[in-house]
Amino acid sequence: MNYITRKKASQILSVSVKTIDRWIRSGRISAFKPYGSSKVLIDRDSLTKENLQSVKSIFKNNF
C-alpha cells in the first residue's frame, strides 16, 4: 500500500486539510496513526471517486 500525508491528499484532491479530516472521520478515506506518532497517514488507494461520493461510510478509522 502507498501512504500519504493529509496535506498531500488535500493537494491531490484540491480540498482543504479540514475536509480531509472530515472525510476520515466519516469513513470515506482510510487512514491511521502509526504507533507513537501524531502524524496521520492515508491509504492513497482509498482516494477514489466512489469512496468520496458514497452514501455510506466505507472505512472504520479508530484513533
Side-chain angles (χ1 to χ4, degrees):
M1 291 191 174
N2 191 8
Y3 297 104
I4 58 174
T5 63
R6 295 176 350 204
K7 184 175 181 178
K8 182 67 176 172
S10 71
Q11 292 169 347
I12 290 169
L13 298 172
S14 299
V15 297
S16 70
V17 174
K18 286 184 178 186
T19 299
I20 296 295
D21 290 339
R22 235 185 348 266
W23 287 343
I24 291 170
R25 281 193 305 275
S26 71
R28 297 185 186 283
I29 295 176
S30 175
F32 73 100
K33 280 187 183 179
Y35 180 75
S37 176
S38 61
K39 185 183 285 191
V40 174
L41 295 178
I42 296 170
D43 179 3
R44 189 177 184 128
D45 295 337
S46 71
L47 302 179
T48 64
K49 186 177 180 180
E50 292 81 25
N51 290 352
L52 300 176
Q53 293 181 345
S54 83
V55 175
K56 284 184 157 184
S57 59
I58 297 168
F59 303 103
K60 223 174 194 139
N61 297 308
N62 297 320
F63 294 107

